[in-house]
């Protein structure tokens, strides 16, 4: 089994920055993808950014140029540096780990990010 624990959410003013962290534990295959999704009230969960164990990244258009995803493979930890935050970035942010031939998904419990003055 895999557990994911997120941290780093909170309240920030527009234009501010936050750094989210997600640590995975358990039996984790070396080849995997970790990422961040978010879900705002009344909206579907959407991809923010993802990164493979080899370092290949994918970003949503809304995140390009403002957010940076990174990871430490030795710690099974993924980070999301969010800069120039906007009110529309307000959402619950969920960490994802996907691994194995079956591409099994594991989710964190979510961390609230609120961008407001």
């Amino acid at each position: 089994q895999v557990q994911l624990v997120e941290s780093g959410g909170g309240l920030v003013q527009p234009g501010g920055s936050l750094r989210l962290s997600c640590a995975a534990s358990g039996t984790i295959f070396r080849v995997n993808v970790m990422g961040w999704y978010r879900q705002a009230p009344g909206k579907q969960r959407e991809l923010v950014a993802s990164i493979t164990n080899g370092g290949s990244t994918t970003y949503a258009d809304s995140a390009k140029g403002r957010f940076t995803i990174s990871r430490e493979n030795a710690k099974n930890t993924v980070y999301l540096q969010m800069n120039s935050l906007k009110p529309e970035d307000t959402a619950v942010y969920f960490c994802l780990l996907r691994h194995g031939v079956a591409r099994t998904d594991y989710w964190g419990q979510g961390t609230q990010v609120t961008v407001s003055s």
Side-chain angles (χ1 to χ4, degrees):
Q1 195 58 278
V2 175
Q3 290 85 39
L4 301 172
V5 178
E6 300 129 331
S7 60
L11 173 64
V12 64
Q13 293 187 341
S17 298
L18 280 175
R19 188 190 194 210
L20 305 182
S21 300
C22 172
S25 61
T27 302
I28 300 168
F29 298 144
R30 185 182 61 83
V31 178
N32 61 70
V33 178
M34 297 187 76
W36 292 94
Y37 283 68
R38 67 186 183 188
Q39 187 167 18
K43 294 188 177 181
Q44 289 189 330
R45 193 172 296 190
E46 61 179 8
L47 172 70
V48 178
S50 66
I51 184 167
T52 69
N53 59 289
S56 296
T57 58
T58 300
Y59 290 94
D61 287 343
S62 59
K64 290 178 181 176
R66 299 188 300 127
F67 296 179
T68 302
I69 191 169
S70 61
R71 62 186 288 170
E72 291 186 75
N73 287 336
K75 296 182 179 180
N76 290 317
T77 299
V78 64
Y79 306 96
L80 185 67
Q81 177 67 44
M82 303 187 292
N83 299 328
S84 303
L85 283 161
K86 305 174 182 179
E88 50 264 43
D89 294 317
T90 296
V92 178
Y93 284 69
F94 295 90
C95 177
L96 166 77
L97 182 143
R98 175 175 296 156
H99 73 171
V101 175
R103 297 172 61 83
T104 304
D105 289 346
Y106 297 91
W107 294 93
Q109 80 284 358
T111 185
Q112 177 70 47
V113 171
T114 302
V115 185
S116 175
S117 56

